[in-house]
Amino acid sequence: RNTHVEATLNHPFAAQVLLALLRDANAEVRLNIISNLGPVHAVVGVDLLSQSLLPAIVDLADDAKWRVRGAIIEHVPLIADQLGVAFFDDALKAKCVGWLADDVAAIRIAATRNLRLLAAKFGERWARDVALPKVADLARQRYYLRRITALRALDALCDVLAPEDVAADVLATVLDLCDDPVANVRFNAAATLRKLAPRLRRHRASAELGLLKTKLRSLADDDGDVDVVAIASEAAAAVDGDE
C-alpha cells in the first residue's frame, strides 16, 4: 500500500528497508516499491541507489512475472535520469535491449516505447552507437516476432538519429527485411518504409528514396501474401502522392 511506502521513506534506515522490500517474495510488494521510485530516489540518493538498490532492480528486470518486468520498464527513463548515460549503459543497457526480445507482446511494446524515450534523453550519438547496433542484431534473429519488433524499434529511433544514419543504416535493415521469408515481417517492413519516406524526402535523400520506392513496387507484386500486396500498394501510392 502507498501508506506503507510513505512510512518506509521516513524510516531512518530507509535504504535497507527498501532493499528488503524489493527482494520480497510477493510481487505486489515489489511492484508497490517500483511504482514509487520517484520519491525513493529523493530519499536514497543516486550513490546509494546505484550501490544498493540498482542490483535489486536489475534482478527484477528478469522477473518471471511480466507485470513486474513491465513496471521496471515504465520507470527506466526516471532511473536513467538519476544515473546518467555512462552508468546506465553499464547497468541497464543490455536489459533494455533484452526486453525487445521478450516473449510477452506487452513487454516488447513497452520496451519499444522505452527505447524511444531513452534515445530522446541520451541523444543522437547514443541512439547511433549504442541502440542502433543492438536493434540491427535483433533484426537478424531467427524468431520472426523479434524481427518485427526490430522494425518498430528502428522507427522509434528515427526521431533522434541523424538523417544520414536513417538513410544508410536504418533503410538498409528495413530493405533487407522486405525480403523476409515470413509474410508478416514483409508486411511490417512495408509499413515501416512508408514511415521512412517523408524523412528521406525532407532531407533530400533522393537516391535512398528511389530504392525505397523500388522495393515497395516489388512488394506490391508479392505473390506470397495478399496482405503484403495490399499494404505495399497502399504505401507506394502514398509515397508517390506525397511528391
Side-chain angles (χ1 to χ4, degrees):
R1 296 179 181 178
N2 287 336
T3 53
H4 186 194
V5 172
E6 291 170 3
T8 298
L9 293 178
N10 291 320
H11 195 285
F13 302 105
Q16 291 86 342
V17 175
L18 287 168
L19 181 58
L21 289 173
L22 278 170
R23 290 176 174 167
D24 195 281
N26 190 312
E28 294 301 323
V29 173
R30 290 177 286 170
L31 282 171
N32 197 21
I33 298 298
I34 293 165
S35 67
N36 287 274
L37 278 180
V40 168
H41 291 163
V43 170
V44 174
V46 66
D47 290 338
L48 193 53
L49 174 68
S50 61
Q51 294 170 16
S52 300
L53 295 181
L54 187 62
I57 293 172
V58 171
D59 287 342
L60 287 171
D62 294 324
D63 196 272
K65 297 182 182 297
W66 71 267
R67 288 178 61 232
V68 175
R69 300 197 301 277
I72 288 287
I73 293 172
E74 292 299 324
H75 290 84
V76 160
L78 179 59
I79 296 170
D81 258 343
Q82 297 293 321
L83 298 180
V85 62
F87 195 97
F88 178 88
D89 278 349
D90 289 341
L92 288 174
K93 175 180 67 177
K95 298 298 181 185
C96 290
V97 176
W99 286 320
L100 291 168
D102 198 278
D103 291 337
V104 178
I107 297 298
R108 296 195 299 272
I109 293 170
T112 302
R113 184 168 58 246
N114 175 60
L115 189 67
R116 186 189 302 272
L117 293 172
L118 291 177
K121 184 180 302 294
F122 290 148
E124 177 186 318
R125 177 177 292 184
W126 187 88
R128 181 194 66 219
D129 297 342
V130 176
L132 187 57
K134 297 295 184 182
V135 174
D137 288 342
L138 189 69
R140 293 189 287 269
Q141 293 195 13
R142 294 180 62 183
Y143 190 32
Y144 82 95
L145 288 175
R146 294 179 181 176
R147 301 198 295 276
I148 291 175
T149 301
L151 286 165
R152 294 169 181 165
L154 288 171
D155 180 56
L157 291 175
C158 282
D159 291 337
V160 177
L161 288 168
E164 57 268 24
D165 294 318
V166 174
D169 298 326
V170 173
L171 180 61
T173 300
V174 178
L175 289 175
D176 284 344
L177 290 174
C178 285
D179 297 322
D180 197 275
V182 177
N184 203 2
V185 177
R186 299 197 302 277
F187 180 95
N188 281 273
T192 304
L193 286 182
R194 171 68 186 92
K195 296 176 184 177
L196 287 181
R199 293 172 172 126
L200 296 175
R201 183 176 293 108
R202 187 162 56 246
H203 298 292
R204 303 181 185 278
S206 56
E208 290 79 6
L209 188 59
L211 291 173
L212 183 152
K213 290 180 178 181
T214 298
K215 181 60 68 175
L216 282 177
R217 294 188 186 107
S218 175
L219 286 172
D221 291 329
D222 190 293
D223 57 3
D225 190 272
V226 294
D227 291 328
V228 173
V229 170
I231 189 67
S233 299
E234 179 183 334
V239 172
D240 288 338
D242 288 341
E243 293 183 340

